[in-house]
Amino acid sequence: MDSADHSPPRAGSGRLPRLRSMPAPFRITVLATVALVCVLAYLTFGVSGDIAYVASRRSTVVATMVLVAFAGAVSTVLLHTVTDNRILTPSIMGMEALFVLVQTCLVFAFGLAGLGALPPAAAFLAQAALLVLFAVLLFNRLFTGGIGSLHLTLLVGIVFGVLFTSLSQLMQRLLDPNEFTALQTRLLARLTRADPEILPWAAGVAAAVGVYVWRRHRMLDVVALGRDAAVNLGVDHTRAARILLVLVALLVATSTALVGPLTFFGFMAATLAYQVAGRHEHRYVLPVAFLVGLCTLVGGQFVLEYLLGHAGTLSVVIEFTGGSLFLYLLLRKAAR
């Protein structure tokens, strides 16, 4: 799938001219260097006192950001590949709304004490399994039930998202005020509060998905050409789409279980990656999306935490910036 045309099909040609003159491997090397500098700066800046405690805490935060950057960026690129639409985000499939519903149901049924008694690893695996089960039931029904419409799948995902949100809001109105406040705290994405016990499980899921995706990056290039072209080139598009959407569900479950819902982070990382990579092949786009996401998380957290003295929450800044980018691209597409 190597192409002489180094511009992505819909990435807005003519942008970033200086960056486009650089070879893609050089851009990846530059991004990797920037990401490494951000990580080292976050780990070593102003270290004093109990160095072992500080190193342990900061290492956990960096490991969380690496996993969230990988899960958010790769899941969004895969969703764009299989849907042939670069405006969509995994949250539109209702997966993050289902995560909120699960958290609300747990607090509603068992209270804060019961929820705290549940082992973190068991809670993570249960939430991931539930999200994947939802994705499998939805996609299998639509792909094998004679309907076979990806757009209908997306529409059903949106409807389920609205249903899950409505049910969550109904149960939240019935909660004790203290439980409601604690639940809102759990649902607000915080990159520095991930439980170290679930990091190995999340890393295992990310590694398995990463190996599978990397070994099939050429197949992803074919799927990105569209259903008809992929079938003509010998790819079982329905099977590939089903597998990719399940992988998206796994990655979304991993990210939301670690730090909570981040609606527009993956969308922002993927959109910037299409511009920075300058190539449409997944062997370039996927690493660039991951590195852009990692630089955004670690660099942003370093600035907010150490240079601005905890002046804000990074997840709020990311949601505002990513949401603004989403609206801009949506309005620009509608104006054409």
Side-chain angles (χ1 to χ4, degrees), residues 212-260:
Y212 179 88
V213 169
W214 186 253
R215 293 182 62 181
R216 289 163 176 78
H217 64 84
R218 291 185 177 85
M219 182 270 287
L220 296 178
D221 295 338
V222 177
V223 171
L225 297 175
R227 182 185 184 84
D228 294 340
V231 171
N232 289 332
L233 291 172
V235 173
D236 185 345
H237 187 273
T238 299
R239 179 174 179 274
R242 185 185 302 145
I243 293 175
L244 291 178
L245 289 172
V246 170
L247 295 183
V248 170
L250 267 175
L251 293 175
V252 171
T254 300
S255 176
T256 51
L258 279 173
V259 300

Side-chain angles (χ1 to χ4, degrees):
M1 287 303 295
D2 288 339
S3 171
D5 181 8
H6 291 187
S7 299
R10 298 171 297 281
S13 58
R15 307 294 176 83
L16 305 177
R18 293 182 180 178
L19 197 60
R20 285 180 183 282
S21 64
M22 303 176 185
F26 180 76
R27 302 176 201 181
I28 295 176
T29 303
V30 171
L31 269 176
T33 304
V34 174
L36 181 61
V37 170
C38 291
V39 169
L40 291 177
Y42 184 82
L43 289 175
T44 60
F45 183 81
V47 174
S48 61
D50 190 344
I51 296 179
Y53 169 77
V54 174
S56 174
R57 177 192 170 276
R58 293 187 182 184
S59 299
T60 301
V61 173
V62 169
T64 302
M65 290 182 180
V66 169
L67 292 174
V68 172
F70 178 85
V74 172
S75 64
T76 306
V77 170
L78 293 182
L79 184 65
H80 290 173
T81 297
V82 73
T83 60
D84 192 26
N85 191 323
R86 293 184 173 179
I87 297 295
L88 295 177
T89 68
S91 62
I92 204 170
M93 303 298 296
M95 296 175 185
E96 292 185 352
L98 178 58
F99 170 82
V100 174
L101 178 61
V102 170
Q103 293 287 323
T104 305
C105 287
L106 290 174
V107 174
F108 186 83
F110 304 108
L112 291 177
L115 187 60
L118 192 64
F124 166 71
L125 294 176
Q127 291 169 8
L130 193 57
L131 286 178
V132 173
L133 178 63
F134 166 71
V136 169
L137 291 176
L138 175 62
F139 303 145
N140 269 343
R141 173 62 181 165
L142 291 173
F143 279 111
T144 64
I147 301 174
S149 170
L150 194 56
H151 294 90
L152 182 57
T153 304
L154 296 174
L155 179 60
V156 172
I158 294 172
V159 172
F160 272 108
V162 174
L163 173 64
F164 295 153
T165 301
S166 300
L167 291 175
S168 300
Q169 292 176 347
L170 174 62
M171 283 190 288
Q172 288 172 10
R173 291 178 183 276
L174 301 176
L175 290 175
D176 177 85
N178 294 328
E179 293 178 339
F180 176 79
T181 303
L183 176 64
Q184 292 303 310
T185 303
R186 293 175 64 92
L187 296 179
L188 179 63
R190 289 186 181 277
L191 295 162
T192 57
R193 71 169 189 184
D195 194 323
E197 290 187 29
I198 66 174
L199 284 179
W201 296 94
V205 171
V209 174
V211 170
Y212 179 88
V213 169
W214 186 253
R215 293 182 62 181
R216 289 163 176 78
H217 64 84
R218 291 185 177 85
M219 182 270 287
L220 296 178
D221 295 338
V222 177
V223 171
L225 297 175
R227 182 185 184 84
D228 294 340
V231 171
N232 289 332
L233 291 172
V235 173
D236 185 345
H237 187 273
T238 299
R239 179 174 179 274
R242 185 185 302 145
I243 293 175
L244 291 178
L245 289 172
V246 170
L247 295 183
V248 170
L250 267 175
L251 293 175
V252 171
T254 300
S255 176
T256 51
L258 279 173
V259 300
L262 280 173
T263 304
F264 292 109
F265 166 70
F267 170 78
M268 184 173 63
T271 302
L272 293 176
Y274 297 138
Q275 297 287 337
V276 174
R279 302 281 292 260
H280 64 275
E281 296 99 319
H282 285 76
R283 60 173 170 162
Y284 299 117
V285 173
L286 289 171
V288 170
F290 164 64
L291 291 171
V292 168
L294 184 59
C295 292
T296 301
L297 293 180
V298 181
Q301 187 64 31
F302 174 79
V303 171
L304 286 177
E305 188 171 340
Y306 299 126
L307 301 186
L308 299 181
H310 298 276
T313 303
L314 180 59
S315 59
V316 176
V317 177
I318 290 175
E319 296 296 75
F320 175 77
T321 307
S324 300
L325 178 63
F326 177 80
L327 288 176
Y328 166 74
L329 293 177
L330 194 64
L331 294 174
R332 192 181 71 169
K333 187 174 182 178
R336 289 178 178 174

